[in-house]
Amino acid sequence: MLIRSFRTIQSINILTLVLVGFLLRIVPAIKGMTLPMEQYNEPLSSLLFEVLNLDAMNYTLNVFVTGFLVFIQAMLLNQIVNRYTIFFKSSYLPALMYIIIMNSITVFATLSPQLFCNFLLLIILDKIFSLYKTYKAMATTFDLGMLFALCSLLYFPYILLTLITWLGLMFFRPFNWREWFCGLLGLFIPYFFLFIHFYWKDDIEHFYTLFQPLNQITSMDIYISNKDFYTLIPLLIAFIFSANKLRESFFKNIIQVRKTYQLLFVLIILSILSFYIKGYAHPAHFMMLSIPMAIYLSYYFLVGKRAWVYESLAYAMLINVLLFQIV
C-alpha cells in the first residue's frame, strides 16, 4: 500500500517518488497546453526569464525540468522535516505530499519565479527551525532578512512573509533586540544596493515601480479554472482531516514541535494575505502554500488509524490530478 510504505524510511520510496512525479507530468508534457501568462516586473524575475529564455523553451522540456526541480525540493523538504523531528517518526510522506501538491494545478507544471522562491523558502525554514538550538542568532536572522529580500525581488508578495523572521524569533528565542535588528538590516541591504544600481543608471523611477503592487492592496481577483479547483478538493479534505488530528494531539507534542506547527500555520495565513499585495492571484501564486501544506497533510497520513480511509484518500488525490489533466 502506498501510504503504509511512505510511513517508513525505505530506499524504494525514492524510486516511487520519481515514478509518481514522472507519471503526473506525462499528460501535461504530451498535451502541450497553453498556459495563462503573468508579467513579472521584479528585477530577478526579469533576469531569470532572460537567462533561461523561458518564453522560447520547448514546453515538454520545461515540464520535465520543472518536475526534476520539484523532486529535489521534495527531498529537501523531507530532510528538513525529519532533521528537526517535526513528526514523531521519520518518513517520506512530506516529499510525497509535496509532489502531489506541485502537480495539482496546471501552471505548477512549468518554470516560474515562485518555483525558485520555494528553494529559498526551504532554506529559510531550515534556518528558522535551527533558531531553537542556536546560541547566537544574529548571523542567522541577518541571513533570513537577505533571503526574504531575494524572494521578494523574484516575486514581490513574498515581502509579507518577512514577518516570519521575527515570529520565529518570538516563538523559538528570548527577546534580543540585536537579533531583530539584524533581520531588518538583512532585508534592507539588497534593496539598498538595488537603489544604488538604478540611481547609477539614472533610472530611479524603475526602482519605485517595484513597490507599485502596494497601491493595489484594496482589490483582489483570483484567476483559477474550475478544473484546477476540482483538483484541489481531495487536498482540502485531507487538510481538514489533518487539522482535526493535530487539534486532538496538539498538547501531547513537545513545546518545540507545537511552536513549529503554529509557525507553519501563520505562514499559511501570511501566504493567503499576500494575495492582496499583488492585487490579483495568478494560479502560480498558490505555490507559496505548497511547503506548509505538504507538512500539514503529511501529519494525517502519518497518524491516521484507518488504513482504508487514508489509503483511499491518497489514491483519490493522485487519480483526481490525473483525471483533470486528461479532460
Side-chain angles (χ1 to χ4, degrees), residues 77 81 86-87 94 97 101 125 129 242 261 264 290-300:
L77 172 62
V81 171
I86 296 176
F87 300 143
M97 293 299 112
I101 292 172
L125 289 178
F129 295 154
S242 182
Y261 289 136
L264 291 171
S290 56
I291 293 175
M293 286 293 291
I295 298 175
Y296 266 89
L297 293 183
S298 300
Y299 185 79
Y300 167 72

Side-chain angles (χ1 to χ4, degrees), residues 70-116:
V70 167
F71 173 77
I72 294 176
Q73 291 178 350
M75 296 305 296
L76 290 174
L77 172 62
N78 204 84
Q79 185 182 40
I80 291 171
V81 171
N82 292 337
R83 181 191 305 148
Y84 295 102
T85 58
I86 296 176
F87 300 143
F88 61 90
K89 63 177 291 188
S90 298
S91 72
Y92 276 104
L93 286 170
L96 177 64
M97 293 299 112
Y98 185 77
I99 286 177
I100 292 175
I101 292 172
M102 291 296 288
N103 286 279
S104 60
I105 295 181
T106 306
V107 295
F108 286 9
T110 54
L111 294 170
S112 65
Q114 292 90 336
L115 178 68
F116 292 94

Side-chain angles (χ1 to χ4, degrees), residues 40-58:
Y40 298 101
N41 298 320
E42 294 85 351
L44 291 184
S45 292
S46 301
L47 181 63
L48 181 69
F49 274 80
E50 181 180 347
V51 171
L52 297 179
N53 197 16
L54 295 183
D55 295 330
M57 181 180 290
N58 177 273

Side-chain angles (χ1 to χ4, degrees), residues 86-88 240-259 261-262 296 298-305:
I86 296 176
F87 300 143
F88 61 90
I240 293 172
F241 286 174
S242 182
N244 183 58
K245 285 290 185 180
L246 186 59
R247 178 190 60 82
E248 293 174 352
S249 60
F250 183 75
F251 290 102
K252 297 178 182 178
N253 296 300
I254 62 175
I255 294 176
Q256 179 187 356
V257 173
R258 294 205 301 263
K259 290 181 176 181
Y261 289 136
Q262 291 172 333
Y296 266 89
S298 300
Y299 185 79
Y300 167 72
F301 289 103
L302 188 63
V303 304
K305 301 298 184 182

